[in-house]
Structures are given as C-alpha cells and as structure tokens.
Amino acid sequence: LELSSDNRTATATLVVEEAAPAELDITDIADAESVSAGDAFSVNVTVENVGDRDADNGTVMLESPTGTTTEVDAQPSAGETNTSEVSVDISDRPRAGEFDREFTVTAETDGGTDDEQTLSETVNYGSVRSGVAQARAASADTVLIAPGTYNERDTVTVETSDLVLEAAGSDPATIAPTNDQTAVDIRADNVTLQGLTFEGDGNESAVTTEADATLESVDVENWETGIESSDGTLSVRDARIENVATGLETNSSDQTDVNFTTVRASDIGVRVTAPNALIADSSIIGAETGIDVVEVDVSNVEVRRTTIRQNTLGLRVFKTGENDDDPFMPLNSNNLESNGLSVLADDSKVDANDNWWGQPGAVPPGDTLARSTIATDPGRSRIDSNLQVGLGSVGGLTGGTFERGESY
C-alpha cells in the first residue's frame, strides 16, 4: 500500500485474511428420557458456527446402533447457534429387556465432519415373548436377553426353527412366569436355550420340548418338573436343577443326552420313560429316587461317569425285561455311595460292574436289591484311591473332609 503527496511518499504492508469457512461445534444434545425398541429415538442438537462464514450447507446427522441414519439441515450464520430435532428408527436384532446402546451425532459442513459425539441410551426391548415374536417376523436366529427378571404372563412359545435364546451379560436373565405357567415351550427344531435361569413356584414345568432342542448352562429351580421332553432329540449340558419334584423327564423316543448336569433336592432326579437316553458326567444328589428307568427298551439307555449320592434310592430300573434275550442296562464308571439303596432292579437286568460303591472291592451288603439280575463283579469294581488332599487354610476353612463329587 502506497500513499503519496506533492513532497512525500509513504508505503506500508496490508495483510488481508480470508474469512474462515463455516464450522459447526456441537454444544448441547437433549434426548428423550426413555427409549423403547420399535419407536423413533429423537434428540435436539444445538450447534454453534465458530467460523466466519454462514453455514449454508450445514447438516446434523443421527446414527443408530445398527447404522441407520437420519440427516437434517443446520445452517446458522457466523457466530450464531442453531437447534435441530433429528430422529432415527431403532431397528435392531431381536432382544428382550434393557440394553445400553450407543448413538452417534455428527455435525457437518460441505460434506466434511466438523464435530462428532456419542451418547449411550438405555433401550427397553420388552418381554421375552416379544423378542421371540420379533425373531419369528424377521426370520432371525438369535434373541439376546438382558439381565433381569421377566415375569411373563404367558408361556414363551418358540415356533421358529434354528433359534437361540441367549442370556447376555454375566448377571442372571431369569424367566419367572406368573399364573402357574410353563416358562418356555419349544415346538420347532434346533432351538437352543443358553445361560438362562428359570424360577418357578413349585408348579408346571420350566421347559417343555416337542422338537429337537438344546439347553446349555441353564439354572432351574422350584418347579413341578424342571425339563420335560415329549418329542425330538434333547441335549442338556452344564445345567443346574434344584428343588423340583422331577428334575428331568424324557418321554421322547429320540435321543436324550444329559451331560455335566447337577440335579439336587428332588423327588426324582431323572426319569426315563422312553428309549435312547445317556446320562454322563453328571451328579444326582439328595433325591428320593436319583434315576428312574421305567418300562423301556434299555439297549440304548446308559448311565456312566455320574455321581449318584445321598439319595434314598440311587437307581431304579423297573420292568425293562429279565428274559435271556433282554438287554442289560449299562451302569458303569459311576460313583454310587451314601445312598439308602444304590440300585434296585425289578423285572430288569443291570450291568453294574466297574463302579465305585464307597469302598474298594465288593459291593457293600445291602447296597443293591435285585428282583431279577444285577451284575456286580468285585474284580471289576474300582480300587481304593490313595489321593490325599491337604486342605490347610482356604477361605476360612481350617479342616474338613472332601467327598467325591464335591468341591470347596
């Protein structure tokens, strides 16, 4: 820049700065107090234009946890603020209960991101029944169930094949129906219940199955019958069943497998009234009758590596046949001790070799009662163990006794 007069000239440098482009900062997000699945989630977003130019192309976008987005205009002048309401539908995989879900708010100008904030909201997905209904409508394969207690007013009926009902999180997801209802009735093939707790009031059944089903890591307490199968295959693994009249009853002629499962404090631990059943690596403790096998073909019924202890009657095998061509029911590699009577065979044949009866060598007198045949070869009974456990001082315990099948 130059200034001149008749007798003098002066020069100076003038710096011209270009106006800064519009830039939106998110200054406030006001959201709804409660959010339910299936509804629209709305927020009021306030942005401030900290640039020198007007935000002619400004927008605010809201993104749901599943990636669906909604965008609205936000065009404040330089130095001004603007508040916009933006909503997005909560479309999600089938769930039940309350989950913390993350939503993302983004402020943009001219296609570039100026500011982004994430907010966590608790979304209520409703009952287990509604989650199962949503899965059926969407042909989904999983219903995630949040921790909490679900007082379902009606039985949760599963009629969608290849569906998993899965507890989410480390705290229990408990189905405790009202009105003396069965908790879950499975009517479609390849349904899995995983990590769930079923709490009853001494009536009905926790779970009934009429098709192929798998139960993994479930807790069942206070029911007339814990798990009842009438048709299809059944796999029960790592279950805990307690305070029931009958822990598990299999009436299906298809295969039933019970593994790594504990049944305590029942009238009958496991009742087998149909062929094709395996009980293995499990514990039946404190029942009137631990395992009851009644009037079935036992050629494919077996109990192995299972602790049957502190029952009034450990195993009863009733009217399964005692003729020469009738099969023996295998009862091998089990822990049979501290029962009032360990084995009763009535019009039946039981192969009870190779078990532990609470002492090495021969079966203790009075531990079996045969109205037909029980094979108990002393030479094949388990030998005494030399294992010694030093308890020391663990968890406040300074002494005591370890028994087979117990942990401390």
Side-chain angles (χ1 to χ4, degrees), residues 289-351:
T289 301
I291 300 174
D292 200 19
V293 181
V294 180
E295 297 186 82
V296 297
D297 178 1
V298 295
S299 57
N300 197 31
V301 176
E302 183 178 2
V303 181
R304 66 171 180 251
R305 296 191 305 271
T306 288
T307 294
I308 304 172
R309 185 165 58 84
Q310 294 178 344
N311 306 286
T312 303
L313 172 58
L315 168 71
R316 182 179 79 138
V317 185
F318 181 68
K319 289 188 177 181
T320 63
E322 59 173 333
N323 296 322
D324 291 341
D325 56 349
D326 288 325
F328 280 84
M329 191 199 110
L331 177 70
N332 296 310
S333 301
N334 300 286
N335 173 20
L336 298 158
E337 61 178 319
S338 303
N339 300 293
L341 177 67
S342 287
V343 178
L344 168 62
D346 193 344
D347 292 335
S348 304
K349 295 160 66 177
V350 177
D351 175 3

Side-chain angles (χ1 to χ4, degrees), residues 355-365 367 376-382:
N355 293 288
W356 173 257
W357 301 86
Q359 68 179 42
V363 178
D367 226 15
T376 56
D377 181 358
R380 292 174 57 191
S381 295
R382 290 177 175 265

Side-chain angles (χ1 to χ4, degrees), residues 8-279:
R8 187 177 179 185
T9 298
T11 61
T13 300
L14 179 63
V15 178
V16 179
E17 294 184 356
E18 184 179 2
E23 182 180 348
L24 300 182
D25 282 356
I26 300 172
T27 60
D28 185 64
I29 301 175
D31 57 81
E33 293 183 358
S34 61
V35 186
S36 297
D39 296 338
F41 173 59
S42 299
V43 292
N44 290 313
V45 182
T46 300
V47 295
E48 180 183 1
N49 184 356
V50 296
D52 296 326
R53 298 179 181 179
D54 294 344
D56 296 331
N57 298 313
T59 60
V60 169
M61 183 175 68
L62 176 63
E63 182 178 355
S64 77
T66 57
T68 57
T69 61
T70 302
E71 189 175 81
V72 297
D73 291 335
Q75 301 173 346
S77 302
E80 300 295 325
T81 61
N82 174 271
T83 299
S84 303
E85 182 180 16
V86 58
S87 301
V88 67
D89 290 333
I90 305 175
S91 57
D92 206 343
R93 63 191 294 188
R95 297 171 184 259
E98 294 186 342
F99 286 83
D100 290 333
R101 309 290 280 146
E102 287 191 348
F103 296 80
T104 302
V105 178
T106 305
E108 299 182 351
T109 53
D110 295 319
T113 299
D114 294 340
D115 197 7
E116 181 178 282
Q117 292 187 18
T118 300
L119 60 154
S120 180
E121 293 293 327
T122 300
V123 180
N124 188 343
Y125 289 85
S127 67
V128 177
R129 291 179 68 243
S130 67
V132 170
Q134 183 184 354
R136 184 176 186 181
S139 299
D141 60 3
T142 303
V143 178
L144 292 178
I145 304 175
T149 299
Y150 299 84
N151 298 121
E152 303 285 331
R153 287 181 291 181
D154 293 299
T155 298
V156 178
T157 302
V158 184
E159 298 177 303
T160 302
S161 298
D162 304 308
L163 184 64
V164 178
L165 274 63
E166 179 181 352
S170 56
D171 292 331
T174 302
I175 300 177
T178 59
N179 303 323
D180 294 340
Q181 298 283 339
T182 290
V184 176
D185 180 24
I186 297 173
R187 300 182 181 180
D189 283 334
N190 302 322
V191 172
T192 298
L193 308 182
Q194 187 169 336
L196 298 171
T197 296
F198 301 94
E199 187 174 299
D201 57 5
N203 298 297
E204 298 300 326
S205 300
V207 179
T208 57
T209 67
E210 304 171 38
D212 296 349
T214 299
L215 279 66
E216 295 182 356
S217 303
V218 298
D219 280 3
V220 177
E221 189 166 358
N222 295 327
W223 295 87
E224 177 70 22
T225 302
I227 302 166
E228 184 176 0
S229 171
S230 60
D231 198 8
T233 63
L234 174 64
S235 174
V236 179
R237 188 178 183 87
D238 193 28
R240 185 189 67 86
I241 305 171
E242 194 163 344
N243 295 326
V244 290
T246 301
L248 189 150
E249 182 162 356
T250 170
N251 298 310
S252 171
S253 59
D254 296 310
Q255 183 66 35
T256 295
D257 291 331
V258 181
N259 294 280
F260 304 103
T261 290
T262 298
V263 182
R264 289 180 179 270
S266 61
D267 292 340
I268 299 173
V270 178
R271 183 175 175 86
V272 179
T273 59
N276 306 315
L278 170 65
I279 303 166

Side-chain angles (χ1 to χ4, degrees), residues 386-402:
N386 293 320
L387 175 66
Q388 295 183 353
V389 178
L391 184 60
S393 179
V394 179
L397 297 173
T398 57
T401 302
F402 281 109

